[in-house]
Amino acid sequence: MDKSVFINGFISMGMASFFGNTKADIFERHIVECLCDIYGLDRVKAVYNAKDEAGFVNLLHTFGMSKTLYDDLLRDMNKYENFKSENSRDPSVKSDIASKIEVTVIKMFLYKCLLVEPSLEEISHFENDLLNNFEVIKLHFNTSLSPSRTREIWEKKKRMLQDNVELVEIKPKYLDEFTYAKFGTSLKDVKKMDYRMVEELNNYINSKLEITVSEEKPKRSLSDLKLTRNTVLSSGNGFVDALLIAGVIATEISIGLIYLFLHM
């Protein structure tokens, strides 16, 4: 890759236009401005000036944005550059790829809101930069299939923020890795689960560990033994049991707040 390119052509042009205070590359500059609203102007500028691509990637993952969303963003930015070239040759060609990038930026803003409660001023400032740039409005009118698509999606998301929905990151309590191993799974895999799945799985494991035999029986059989953290339960294949329980739990759990915010 050309050393003058930072991340990709889209971001390079946007950074150069925004921090160089020029009117070139209107849409690319617009997206960089929105990223500065989310991650902080000084932090974005610092990684750009240092040409620290790894630092930029880490910055965009600050609030837990998924790798898939980041990859989609880069892919759509490249698609936008291709569309822009095609549209310059034939202005009748239109696409919603610009709106698609903006919607991804909205999701990035919401990831931040899940961890840091936004003030009304922060929401308004982001909204203004996202929707009220006249040059970007004109660009959407001339090149987009659905010029108001971004505005419509933002209005849905904003109503959720303004309805005082409590955005709380719930951190589950995990059992030790050896206990999970005895039940055929791993702490690493459990940490990928929804917190409600973790809670239910822990309850299931603890209920099995607390089983005791009746003290009235004179002989100790396998069914009489107290199950400990070193005991493998069920038919001998704890992995199958753990997957079964997790599967049942997954089918009973509602979609949840994060899905509602990021996919509605």
Side-chain angles (χ1 to χ4, degrees):
M1 180 182 289
D2 187 340
K3 291 184 179 179
S4 64
V5 174
F6 182 71
I7 305 297
N8 61 18
F10 184 108
I11 294 176
S12 293
M13 290 185 288
M15 293 281 195
S17 178
F18 182 73
F19 291 116
N21 196 28
T22 72
K23 294 184 178 180
D25 305 308
I26 293 169
F27 187 71
E28 294 88 342
R29 172 193 171 107
H30 160 65
I31 293 300
V32 168
E33 182 175 29
C34 290
L35 293 180
C36 288
D37 287 340
I38 300 171
Y39 300 101
L41 187 148
D42 291 340
R43 297 178 70 188
V44 174
K45 186 176 183 179
V47 294
Y48 173 64
N49 287 342
K51 296 298 184 287
D52 182 4
E53 294 195 347
F56 179 79
V57 174
N58 290 334
L59 181 61
L60 264 59
H61 285 87
T62 299
F63 304 112
M65 181 184 70
S66 67
K67 182 180 184 300
T68 299
L69 190 63
Y70 176 75
D71 291 341
D72 289 347
L73 177 65
L74 297 187
R75 179 202 62 202
D76 291 339
M77 285 176 168
N78 290 331
K79 285 184 178 181
Y80 176 81
E81 293 306 317
N82 292 333
F83 164 71
K84 187 168 72 170
S85 297
E86 187 176 0
N87 178 261
S88 66
R89 295 191 298 269
D90 181 2
S92 67
V93 176
K94 296 189 177 184
S95 170
D96 281 333
I97 189 63
S99 176
K100 193 171 183 180
I101 293 172
E102 289 175 329
V103 170
T104 297
V105 171
I106 290 174
K107 291 179 181 180
M108 295 162 75
F109 180 73
L110 293 176
Y111 268 106
K112 179 180 179 179
C113 293
L114 288 170
L115 297 180
V116 182
E117 184 177 358
S119 65
L120 292 177
E121 181 181 359
E122 289 172 325
I123 295 174
S124 297
H125 191 275
F126 176 76
E127 177 183 62
N128 184 62
D129 287 342
L130 177 71
L131 301 177
N132 297 330
N133 182 316
F134 177 74
E135 293 299 323
V136 176
I137 292 173
K138 185 166 66 174
L139 182 147
H140 274 300
F141 182 80
N142 291 329
T143 66
S144 296
L145 293 169
S146 306
S148 62
R149 178 173 179 266
T150 300
R151 186 176 297 274
E152 291 170 355
I153 292 175
W154 168 249
E155 287 300 325
K156 293 179 182 178
K157 307 297 186 181
K158 186 177 73 169
R159 279 198 297 272
M160 297 178 71
L161 290 173
Q162 293 178 333
D163 284 344
N164 295 320
V165 176
E166 186 178 4
L167 304 178
V168 179
E169 181 190 24
I170 300 178
K171 296 182 178 180
K173 294 181 179 180
Y174 299 105
L175 305 179
D176 63 85
E177 59 183 316
F178 301 105
T179 299
Y180 287 127
K182 289 298 180 182
F183 282 80
T185 187
S186 67
L187 180 59
K188 180 180 179 181
D189 288 338
V190 173
K191 285 184 176 181
K192 297 177 183 178
M193 295 180 180
D194 178 275
Y195 75 91
R196 289 159 294 188
M197 289 181 66
V198 174
E199 181 179 352
E200 293 297 330
L201 183 59
N202 288 350
N203 289 340
Y204 169 77
I205 291 175
N206 286 328
S207 70
K208 293 299 182 181
L209 294 175
E210 292 171 359
I211 295 176
T212 57
V213 297
S214 171
E215 296 181 355
E216 297 180 356
K217 292 186 178 181
K219 294 184 180 180
R220 293 168 60 87
S221 64
L222 289 177
S223 62
D224 295 331
L225 294 176
K226 178 180 179 181
L227 298 182
T228 68
R229 293 178 183 269
N230 295 316
T231 305
V232 179
L233 300 178
S234 77
S235 61
N237 193 332
F239 177 71
V240 173
D241 287 343
L243 288 181
L244 177 61
I245 293 301
V248 172
I249 295 166
T251 60
E252 296 297 328
I253 292 177
S254 63
I255 292 174
L257 180 61
I258 293 177
Y259 181 89
L260 186 64
F261 254 63
L262 303 179
H263 300 279
M264 176 177 172

